[in-house]
Amino acid sequence: MDTLTTHLLTFLAGLILGAGLLYWLMPARRQGSRLIRERDEARNALNQYRDRVDHHFLETADLVNELTQTYRSVHQHLSRGARSLCSEAGRKKAAAKSLDAAHEPETPLSQPLDYAPKAQGTLSEDFGLQKQAEGPFSPVNTDEETPAAVVEPPRDYADVRDDNDESDRPR
């Protein structure tokens, strides 16, 4: 073999060997496998947490159902005891009293007011007014010391036609 072929084969062998060593020893590859491992551990931890949360709420629902059933049993026991131990007149009084208390509140309910009941509040219609308005455009606040200002009605400019306006004229 001639030297050129030998050098070329040696170069290719070194290139292949170097690429292989670089691939196996590259830190990004190690870091990638570490990240994959951490990702899998995080997924497993999240799945375990979700399972614990599901178990917690299922157990809570079961305990609340048991509590409701126990309350119902206690209520039935008290009802049977009342029927067997109380006289007919006592049962009627207790039933009437419990039904009255259940349907009638202790204080009567009314709609909320838009003013203070004993004093003029800020939502009162005449709050801060010293004199009632006499017409739609009369002054609201009048003091004896200062003359009343005359309030004119707003002018409607749409009704007034200006003859000097050239945009309305036909051409």
Side-chain angles (χ1 to χ4, degrees), residues 1-158:
M1 284 195 186
D2 63 357
T3 58
L4 182 62
T5 309
T6 307
H7 287 295
L8 187 60
L9 287 175
T10 306
F11 176 74
L12 288 176
L15 186 63
I16 292 172
L17 184 63
L21 286 174
L22 184 64
Y23 177 76
W24 287 106
L25 300 176
M26 189 168 65
R29 176 180 163 90
R30 287 186 305 229
Q31 186 179 13
S33 65
R34 188 188 62 179
L35 288 176
I36 290 172
R37 188 175 55 250
E38 288 176 3
R39 181 198 63 193
D40 291 342
E41 290 172 1
R43 279 186 183 166
N44 289 337
L46 179 63
N47 288 335
Q48 289 174 356
Y49 176 75
R50 286 179 178 170
D51 290 342
R52 287 195 324 247
V53 168
D54 289 345
H55 176 72
H56 168 77
F57 281 109
L58 289 173
E59 186 177 355
T60 302
D62 289 341
L63 291 174
V64 168
N65 288 337
E66 288 177 21
L67 179 67
T68 303
Q69 185 61 37
T70 303
Y71 176 77
R72 192 175 295 139
S73 299
V74 168
H75 186 268
Q76 289 172 352
H77 171 72
L78 289 173
S79 178
R80 283 191 306 267
R83 272 188 253 127
S84 65
L85 298 175
C86 293
S87 66
E88 184 67 30
R91 283 196 304 262
K92 286 182 182 179
K93 280 184 182 179
K97 187 174 182 180
S98 67
L99 290 176
D100 289 343
H103 293 295
E104 292 181 15
E106 293 179 11
T107 59
L109 299 177
S110 63
Q111 292 181 341
L113 303 175
D114 64 344
Y115 58 90
K118 293 185 180 178
Q120 284 186 341
T122 57
L123 296 177
S124 175
E125 288 186 17
D126 57 349
F127 176 76
L129 300 179
Q130 296 167 349
K131 182 179 176 185
Q132 293 292 333
E134 296 171 4
F137 303 110
S138 62
V140 178
N141 290 329
T142 58
D143 293 336
E144 282 73 23
E145 297 174 6
T146 60
V150 177
V151 178
E152 295 181 11
R155 187 171 172 191
D156 190 5
Y157 292 100

